[in-house]
Amino acid sequence: MKKLIGRISSSRLFYFLLPATVLLAFPEYFIRELWFDEVLTLQFAMQGSVASIYRSYFIPNNQLIHTFFIHWLLDIGIIPEAARLFPFLCGAGTIWLLWKNFSREFGKLPLIISLTALVISPPFLLYAGALRGYMLAAFFTVGALCCGKRFALGGKKRFLAGWFIFSLLSVGVMPSALAGLAGAGLFLLPYCGRKFWKNPRLYLLAAAPFAALVLFYAPIYRDLFNAFALKEGWHHAGYALLAVGIAGIVTFFIPLTAAVCFHRPVLRNIPRMLIWFLPLGGVLLPVSPFPRVWFVLFPLWALLTAGYLRKVPEKYWRILRIATVVWGLFTTLEFTRELLSPAVSLGGQDDFYAPYFMKKDFLPSETAGFINTNFPENHPVFVSFGADPPALWYFRHTAVLDIPPGRCTGLPSGTVLVLGIREDTELFETRFQTRLYEIWRNKLHKICLVTGEGI
């Protein structure tokens, strides 16, 4: 046994076993209660058919292809909490595709180090355990990249078809995945030759994602435009860029530090450098996308990082491997994540390190348990927007949700009002023109009764 452990720890296999172990060693990423967007996903997925889901693109939260998969999982009896295995498998598939298609080109050790840095990073762990489509979009984007590489290097037209199909699936998860496909396109440029602009294959590759976007959303284009008109995102583009930048640098900090010392840029690879700066495109939009939208670029950043490590002298490999693992584990500590969280949440919710739903006191079931124990099922319950109403709805389907916020201006006497713990009770007294009497609270919510007395 000792010899076996020694062989594993000294072999490259160790650096795949370790990330898998880390994924299982952090159950808080997978065993936790459902939050706002996850419950919205379930609400869309619970519709009767894929066709009805497709026609329900009222808000960007309905990540269509992903919702289709969740719908099918629910249909075969998979419970929502167990459905988190699906994004986990998408994450594993993403890593496998990168290894299978790029380990020879970039070298096994450089790619192992960059993929280890990615896998044990909080952003990857977070979306590998979230009932959302970000990891699925990353998987499809990497699938498109692998097919595109084969076609750019002179492969048959079936690889162009693969690039198109994966692009269609990727933008079908979310239109913003077009950013990941743009990054994949930039990555493919060196494969098209030194005078890539003269290669007709490049233009076929460039046109395919846009054609896929049009093809997928053409039947529901009005819904798509209406969803864009909601202008969901961060209204301060600088804060969004800061969040993405911090997440990218922290994730690949050790490999990038080594790259600064040993990497020398090659002229033909300069276009790939632009992939790091694609989030700047958010500045051009009326509202900057949520930072999590750019997660689709992280696997591409891992490939870039692996490329930078190819010139590292052999004598530094061992320390580099150890440093990558130690740094990755350090960033997953709750202390570190809480330390980083304020810097990546200046414009809104923390999308990478310590979002509210990852905290130990995120227990909507506890709040719902109090309500269900003390009030009959037909008793009126109203949940404010700041109290994560879908998470409460999951445990009490009769609750009325404050979505869109502010629409409801009056509540009958005796209504149970659920507020976020940080929400100002007086503001709701003014909104509903009645006194509120607090009867219960925990670290997430406070529950008030509507007295019916005027103010």
Side-chain angles (χ1 to χ4, degrees):
M1 177 62 71
K2 189 174 181 180
K3 288 183 179 180
L4 177 62
I5 294 174
R7 288 177 181 176
I8 291 176
S9 63
S10 61
S11 71
R12 292 164 184 170
L13 179 62
F14 173 76
Y15 296 98
F16 285 114
L17 292 178
L18 182 62
T21 303
V22 170
L23 284 170
L24 299 176
F26 289 88
E28 64 268 25
Y29 286 100
F30 306 96
I31 305 174
R32 53 182 171 78
E33 299 195 9
L34 299 172
W35 62 288
F36 195 111
D37 283 358
E38 288 181 313
V39 178
L40 288 182
T41 297
L42 288 177
Q43 289 177 331
F44 285 117
M46 288 175 179
Q47 297 188 55
S49 66
V50 166
S52 60
I53 294 171
Y54 181 71
R55 292 192 298 268
S56 300
Y57 195 75
F58 308 125
I59 52 176
N61 301 69
N62 187 6
Q63 298 170 332
L64 291 167
I65 295 292
H66 176 259
T67 309
F68 297 165
F69 278 104
I70 302 303
H71 172 79
W72 292 323
L73 290 173
L74 296 177
D75 268 359
I76 62 174
I78 302 296
I79 63 172
E81 289 80 4
R84 284 206 174 103
L85 183 61
F86 177 63
F88 175 87
L89 293 175
C90 291
T94 300
I95 299 302
W96 182 82
L97 283 175
L98 291 171
W99 175 258
K100 186 72 174 177
N101 290 274
F102 294 96
S103 57
R104 289 187 179 181
E105 178 180 351
F106 292 103
K108 292 183 177 180
L109 280 177
L111 193 56
I112 284 174
I113 287 174
S114 65
L115 292 182
T116 299
L118 174 63
V119 169
I120 60 179
S121 68
F124 189 92
L125 289 167
L126 180 62
Y127 294 111
L131 210 59
R132 299 292 290 145
Y134 301 103
M135 190 63 76
L136 181 61
F139 171 74
F140 287 144
T141 299
V142 170
L145 174 67
C146 296
C147 291
K149 174 186 174 182
R150 298 287 188 90
F151 182 71
L153 290 173
K156 296 182 179 179
K157 290 182 179 179
R158 69 172 183 267
F159 294 113
L160 177 61
W163 164 263
F164 177 79
I165 292 170
F166 275 115
S167 296
L168 182 72
L169 293 170
S170 185
V171 296
V173 175
M174 51 186 188
S176 55
L178 198 63
L181 295 169
L186 289 170
F187 197 90
L188 295 175
L189 284 180
Y191 299 135
C192 293
R194 290 187 176 182
K195 296 182 178 180
F196 55 81
W197 58 90
K198 294 184 177 181
N199 190 336
R201 290 175 178 251
L202 172 64
Y203 299 100
L204 292 173
L205 290 168
F210 295 99
L213 182 70
V214 172
L215 177 64
F216 190 87
Y217 289 99
I220 55 169
Y221 74 94
R222 288 190 179 90
D223 293 330
L224 178 67
F225 292 153
N226 289 335
F228 284 154
L230 295 175
K231 296 184 178 180
E232 292 191 354
W234 282 16
H235 292 273
H236 196 300
Y239 290 156
L241 289 173
L242 179 65
V244 178
I246 289 174
I249 291 172
V250 170
T251 297
F252 301 106
F253 178 72
I254 297 299
L256 287 177
T257 301
V260 169
C261 300
F262 299 105
H263 177 66
R264 296 294 179 270
V266 179
L267 184 61
R268 70 186 184 92
N269 288 332
I270 293 298
R272 289 179 174 174
M273 293 288 292
L274 298 175
I275 299 173
W276 292 104
F277 302 100
L278 283 176
L280 288 171
V283 177
L284 305 176
L285 301 175
V287 177
S288 184
F290 293 112
R292 59 183 176 270
V293 165
W294 303 106
F295 175 75
V296 71
L297 294 175
F298 277 58
L300 300 177
W301 290 346
L303 284 182
L304 292 175
T305 304
Y308 301 156
L309 297 177
R310 284 180 290 183
K311 298 297 183 181
V312 174
E314 185 177 350
K315 63 181 180 179
Y316 294 113
W317 281 114
R318 185 174 183 182
I319 187 64
L320 185 55
R321 288 179 292 192
I322 294 173
T324 299
V325 172
V326 171
W327 175 258
L329 293 176
F330 174 70
T331 62
T332 59
L333 295 176
E334 185 178 2
F335 166 79
T336 311
R337 292 187 289 111
E338 291 288 350
L339 196 65
L340 290 168
S341 185
V344 298
S345 57
L346 293 172
Q349 176 184 296
D350 177 358
D351 281 345
F352 297 121
Y353 291 101
Y356 73 93
F357 54 85
M358 284 293 297
K359 299 183 186 298
K360 295 177 181 178
D361 54 16
F362 181 72
L363 296 170
S365 62
E366 186 177 85
T367 305
F370 174 83
I371 297 172
N372 293 338
T373 300
N374 293 279
F375 298 92
E377 186 176 352
N378 62 351
H379 192 92
V381 176
F382 185 84
V383 187
S384 74
F385 189 81
D388 199 331
L392 265 294
W393 175 90
Y394 184 67
F395 297 101
R396 190 177 176 101
H397 290 355
T398 57
V400 177
L401 311 185
D402 191 17
I403 300 176
R407 180 178 58 181
C408 178
T409 57
L411 295 174
S413 177
T415 298
V416 173
L417 175 60
V418 183
L419 303 178
I421 194 64
R422 295 183 180 179
E423 290 189 290
D424 189 344
T425 305
E426 291 184 1
L427 290 178
F428 284 86
E429 288 183 329
T430 302
R431 172 180 168 182
F432 297 121
Q433 290 296 297
T434 185
R435 294 292 182 189
L436 301 175
Y437 177 67
E438 185 176 320
I439 59 173
W440 184 87
R441 69 164 54 201
N442 61 6
K443 293 183 178 180
L444 180 65
H445 294 128
K446 51 188 173 183
I447 296 179
C448 302
L449 282 179
V450 176
T451 65
E453 299 174 7
I455 58 172

